Amino acid sequence: MLRLCAVALVLATTVQAQPAAEVPVERVILFTSGVGYFEHAGRVSGNADVTLQFGETALNDVLKSFLVEDAGGRVAGVVYPSQAPIERTLRSFAVDLSSGPDLADILRQVRGAEVTVDTPGGSVRGTVLSVSRQTRETGGAAVAVDVLSLLTPSGLVTVRLDTAGRIAFADPALQAEIEGALAALSEASGGDRKPVRVQFRGAGARRVRIGYVTEAPVWKTSYRLVLPAAGASGAALQGWALVENPTEADWTDVDLTLVSGRPVSFVTDLYTPRYVDRPVVTLDDDAVVRPETYDAGSRDGGSGAIVRPGGPPGTVSGTVVDETGQPLVGASVRVEGTSQGAATDLTGRFQIDGLAPGTYGLTASYIGFDSYSRTVRLGGGSGLVVDVRLATGGQLSEVVVSAESATQLRGRQAGDQAYSADGMRAAPPAAPAPPIDPTSSIVAQGTQGDFGELFAYRLGQVTLPRRGSAMLPIVGADVRAERLSVYSGVAGRHPMRGVRLVNTTGANLRGGPVTVLDDGYAGDALLPDLPAGDERLLTFAVDQDVLVDPFAVPDAPGTVEAATLRDGVLVVQRQGRASRGYRLENRGDRARTVLVEHGRQRGARLLQPSAPEETTPGQYRFRVELAAGAVDTLRVVEARTLSEQVLLADLAPDRIAAYAAASGALPDDVRRALRRAVDDRRALAETERQSNALRRELAEIEREQERIRGNLNAVDNGSDYGRRLLDKLGEQESRIEQVRERLDQLDAQAGRQRDALRVSVGRSQ
């Protein structure tokens, strides 16, 4: 009911409708997020209404973003039709037109209303009493007619409706109700187009503006890149914007701006009437807001740590992982300013014990990764859990390419003479027309600059018919471009011809296709979004003059880089090397600069060459200069630290001795501890050998006793054979006592030897 009343009130204002004013589109801003800002502007005088038409699907965007300005007046309101069904809307008026009533039905609905009726005998003013169907004689025939009964000051008067002329309502509100119902019918018959009427109120002539955001086609870009002559570094870049006018109005001298950016934009259903069930809320005196806790963030480029209470008092424990969450085995965790630390195990876990309450500097490091340090505070109530993430370290080299202004394309002159079929010299052929120079007659429109936090091309006055499209030049400038051949394996044995493009236009270039011209059409490339001053590689054709053949290089044996010995675990870090070679051959007659892309190994560092030309998150790029007809070889060597953990107590003495004798960067204290462990492990092994031999003997005696007891059950114990069996049992019992006594001695000796071994391998000295 509220919705219907609101519609009635809105549409009832049509009885006081103001003169309409024309406010054409004056400004358009198109974004790359699929929306556009449209601004209408014009002049109105006095009270005026401005009506704009929108598709029903566009109303949500319009209602969300509608802006109105009246310079010198005020905005009384913005009126738009409800989405309620037309039948419900019509039934909400004082006169129900939903069933298509005739005049008699309408008058029956307004019984008691005062009307003025023009009749052949004059005007009659009275109150509607009733409308009845009567039969009258007309020309000798009975005809059914509708008769209106009115109560006038002089009495009851009847008027045949088929003879009545104008019928006017004395009550303006009733007149407005009928007009409102008719307006609702008119709007409902308008299809998908919905009127939005802005009510401007004021005095005198003044300027008004209306703005809104609604869905619009994404504007696109297309580029032409004219390459420089061989040896030059300048190129000409021309950019076109492809723009559509999606509106129902022509754009005439519209101020058009194209924004290179993607603001957040979404659709909210504001047009559909919506009701919400409101909950019943009770006020609790003891209601409290609980505090939220948040994990610490990291701003150091990938490395970071999460610290939380946990573990026994006096301990710092946790994990060390890489960017992908994989554990780093043998990573070092140190408490700065103390001799305490730990190495991570096979699961990346560590634990440091025996710390007093206080503030410490904690450092985690691993070869090939950036180290991470932070300050932690250890209380007396519990320990700390520190989960560390280390980022892969890498090297970057900066490349500066000098630039000159782009050269213009030049035509060729034919130098050969032509001959006719009879051998006579014919007229020389006409010189071929030079390629089109796309930069000679196109001037980029408008200006470029910031648009808030975004970048915009301001094109100035643009005329574009409704539902029309246009290509508008937005970029025309010299840029830096270096010719390159880029090998990544996408074209088999051949690299791709390309350029390194440096955006020196001063504008942020929106991504789009690029047609490359090199003395004519050379190929197509795809340009990503390129900020001002940034650079990208563009490839546009296969370089068939250059061959690149990768080949495998045997890996060098790993060398020991570091070793630690703690709590009986030997952690050895070895340097594993991976090598790959590339054979490059230039079969052409022009020199080439080849960029070879080589996939980076996670956690590895580059040994050869010393530095790449460029580094990306997943690739190294190496520059190789190839003269015409030359052959060259590129070898790439990467090193990765491999960690091995060994529990020394479980190893044979010879294996421990092998580790002690290993060449490489084995620390002296670790080597001495391993040599002591060899002696202790050999002594323990000898004790274990003797103990095992006695246990085997004891098991053999017990099996023999079972056989003897079985025989005794079958013979007379007083016989000679029986007495021999009994003597044998006595001798075996004596031997069992001796063996068990010796085993007790050996077990005690083995225990002492194990304690000694644990001392030897417990820490390096």
Side-chain angles (χ1 to χ4, degrees):
M1 179 60 69
L2 290 176
R3 287 179 292 170
L4 300 179
C5 292
V7 173
L9 291 175
V10 169
L11 295 177
T13 58
T14 56
V15 72
Q16 298 153 343
Q18 303 300 323
E22 291 294 329
V23 183
V25 177
E26 186 177 83
R27 186 184 185 196
V28 175
I29 303 174
L30 298 180
F31 298 86
T32 54
S33 56
V35 297
Y37 171 76
F38 300 86
E39 186 174 294
H40 301 249
R43 299 187 67 81
V44 299
S45 180
N47 295 337
D49 290 350
V50 173
T51 300
L52 304 178
Q53 297 284 338
F54 298 99
E56 186 171 323
T57 56
L59 271 179
N60 285 317
D61 283 330
V62 172
L63 295 177
K64 180 180 67 175
S65 59
F66 210 65
L67 306 172
V68 186
E69 178 185 271
D70 186 341
R74 65 182 181 88
V75 178
V78 179
V79 179
Y80 60 94
S82 170
Q83 201 183 27
I86 184 60
E87 291 79 8
R88 295 186 63 182
T89 302
L90 293 176
R91 285 196 294 269
S92 69
F93 290 99
V95 179
D96 184 2
L97 303 183
S98 60
S99 60
D102 57 17
L103 179 59
D105 292 331
I106 292 175
L107 291 173
R108 289 189 183 97
Q109 293 184 55
V110 298
R111 290 176 59 190
E114 186 175 357
V115 297
T116 299
V117 183
D118 291 342
T119 67
S123 295
V124 178
R125 183 183 180 91
T127 302
V128 176
L129 183 64
S130 66
V131 178
S132 60
R133 178 65 59 92
Q134 300 180 7
T135 302
R136 299 291 179 91
E137 291 290 337
T138 302
V143 179
V145 297
D146 291 318
V147 178
L148 170 65
S149 298
L150 298 175
L151 177 62
T152 67
S154 59
L156 291 175
V157 176
T158 60
V159 178
R160 288 180 53 176
L161 292 181
D162 60 338
T163 63
R166 181 181 67 90
I167 300 178
F169 295 99
D171 185 359
L174 184 58
Q175 177 80 15
E177 285 285 286
I178 297 177
E179 290 180 353
L182 293 174
L185 279 172
S186 175
E187 291 173 352
S189 63
D192 183 55
R193 310 301 293 173
K194 302 295 181 182
V196 175
R197 188 173 69 256
V198 184
Q199 300 170 333
F200 294 104
R201 300 293 179 262
R206 62 199 185 278
R207 178 176 170 82
V208 298
R209 294 195 298 169
I210 301 172
Y212 52 86
V213 174
T214 187
E215 185 179 32
V218 175
W219 67 276
K220 302 172 286 292
T221 50
S222 176
Y223 297 95
R224 318 292 179 264
L225 178 63
V226 183
L227 294 184
S233 59
L237 182 68
Q238 181 185 98
W240 295 80
L242 283 67
V243 179
E244 290 87 11
N245 175 6
T247 68
E248 298 295 337
D250 295 337
W251 292 352
T252 302
D253 292 335
V254 167
D255 182 4
L256 179 62
T257 300
L258 307 178
V259 178
S260 180
R262 294 181 175 87
V264 175
S265 181
F266 54 85
V267 176
T268 301
D269 189 357
L270 299 176
Y271 183 47
T272 304
R274 182 168 64 246
Y275 297 93
V276 177
D277 292 333
R278 296 182 296 165
V280 177
V281 179
T282 59
L283 299 179
D284 295 332
D285 293 336
D286 59 347
V288 295
V289 178
R290 297 185 179 275
E292 294 286 340
T293 59
Y294 302 90
D295 291 335
S298 172
R299 300 191 180 189
D300 43 20
S303 296
I306 297 176
V307 181
R308 63 184 185 277
T315 65
V316 175
S317 60
T319 59
V320 181
V321 299
D322 62 12
E323 299 110 318
T324 66
Q326 295 298 314
L328 295 177
V329 181
S332 175
V333 182
R334 304 188 310 276
V335 179
E336 300 297 340
T338 72
S339 60
Q340 292 173 286
T344 56
D345 60 15
L346 292 173
T347 62
R349 297 185 177 277
F350 69 92
Q351 180 166 324
I352 303 172
D353 301 316
L355 295 173
T359 302
Y360 298 95
L362 198 68
T363 299
S365 60
Y366 192 80
I367 296 177
F369 288 75
D370 294 332
S371 61
Y372 178 81
S373 299
R374 71 167 295 161
T375 300
V376 298
R377 181 169 182 81
L378 184 64
S382 69
L384 288 179
V385 178
V386 182
D387 294 324
V388 182
R389 184 184 72 254
L390 296 184
T392 305
Q395 296 178 331
L396 292 175
S397 60
E398 181 180 3
V399 180
V400 179
V401 182
S402 60
E404 300 174 359
S405 107
T407 58
Q408 301 293 326
L409 297 177
R410 297 187 297 272
R412 302 178 185 271
Q413 298 294 331
D416 297 335
Q417 297 292 330
Y419 292 84
S420 62
D422 58 5
M424 298 298 293
R425 178 175 294 181
I436 293 177
D437 181 2
T439 64
S440 61
S441 56
I442 303 297
V443 178
Q445 299 181 12
T447 59
Q448 305 157 355
D450 292 334
F451 185 84
E453 297 293 332
L454 308 176
F455 188 86
Y457 299 90
R458 294 182 174 88
L459 301 183
Q461 306 303 310
V462 173
T463 298
L464 187 60
R466 63 179 179 176
R467 301 295 177 182
S469 304
M471 288 178 59
L472 305 173
I474 57 174
V475 176
D478 291 347
V479 293
R480 298 180 193 171
E482 178 191 17
R483 293 176 181 266
L484 297 169
S485 295
V486 182
Y487 175 77
S488 59
V490 297
R493 301 177 65 192
H494 298 285
M496 298 291 294
R497 288 182 59 200
V499 295
R500 186 197 307 278
L501 180 68
V502 183
N503 181 8
T504 56
T505 64
N508 290 354
L509 300 179
R510 171 160 161 70
V514 181
T515 296
V516 182
L517 303 174
D518 187 12
D519 206 8
Y521 174 73
D524 290 334
L526 191 60
L527 179 70
D529 290 348
L530 191 60
D534 207 347
E535 62 181 52
R536 289 292 187 278
L537 291 177
L538 303 181
T539 57
F540 52 85
V542 176
D543 190 344
Q544 297 182 333
D545 289 339
V546 178
L547 293 176
V548 180
D549 293 312
F551 60 89
V553 178
D555 293 341
T559 58
V560 176
E561 291 183 326
T564 59
L565 179 59
R566 191 171 186 84
D567 297 332
V569 177
L570 175 66
V571 180
V572 180
Q573 294 181 349
R574 301 179 184 273
Q575 183 191 89
R577 295 190 178 188
S579 302
R580 188 169 180 82
Y582 299 88
R583 180 184 181 275
L584 299 92
E585 180 180 356
N586 182 4
R587 297 184 175 182
D589 56 2
R590 293 169 54 182
R592 289 284 198 273
T593 298
V594 182
L595 278 187
V596 177
E597 286 196 333
H598 176 85
R600 298 176 60 183
Q601 295 190 38
R602 185 174 62 87
R605 60 189 184 280
L606 183 65
L607 296 183
Q608 180 184 345
S610 59
E613 171 82 2
E614 294 176 345
T615 303
T616 70
Q619 303 281 340
Y620 289 122
R621 291 177 182 150
F622 300 99
R623 176 185 288 261
V624 179
E625 301 289 350
L626 276 181
V631 177
D632 201 353
T633 300
L634 170 68
R635 182 175 177 180
V636 182
V637 181
E638 293 178 274
R640 173 184 291 176
T641 299
L642 306 176
S643 183
E644 177 185 7
Q645 284 192 336
V646 180
L647 186 60
L648 293 180
D650 294 338
L651 288 185
D654 293 343
R655 290 287 308 278
I656 301 177
Y659 279 108
S663 61
L666 196 66
D668 292 339
D669 56 347
V670 174
R671 195 184 305 274
R672 288 193 299 269
L674 290 177
R675 288 171 179 168
R676 287 194 303 270
V678 170
D679 296 337
D680 292 340
R681 188 65 181 90
R682 283 175 177 166
L684 176 60
E686 176 59 24
T687 301
E688 291 173 340
R689 185 193 65 76
Q690 294 178 20
S691 179
N692 291 335
L694 289 176
R695 284 185 169 83
R696 287 193 298 273
E697 180 184 353
L698 185 60
E700 182 63 28
I701 292 175
E702 291 174 346
R703 286 194 297 272
E704 180 65 15
Q705 284 187 330
E706 290 179 2
R707 183 187 66 80
I708 293 174
R709 290 188 179 95
N711 290 340
L712 283 173
N713 291 332
V715 300
D716 183 4
N717 291 345
S719 64
D720 291 340
Y721 181 65
R723 287 192 295 271
R724 287 201 310 270
L725 291 178
L726 290 173
D727 292 341
K728 184 66 173 178
L729 282 176
E731 294 173 359
Q732 289 178 339
E733 286 298 324
S734 298
R735 180 56 183 167
I736 288 175
E737 292 176 359
Q738 295 173 359
V739 170
R740 286 177 175 171
E741 182 179 357
R742 180 57 179 162
L743 282 176
D744 290 340
Q745 296 172 355
L746 291 176
D747 288 344
Q749 180 177 326
R752 293 190 297 271
Q753 290 171 336
R754 289 191 183 93
D755 291 340
L757 179 60
R758 280 193 289 269
V759 172
S760 298
V761 301
R763 62 174 60 88
S764 58
Q765 299 178 3

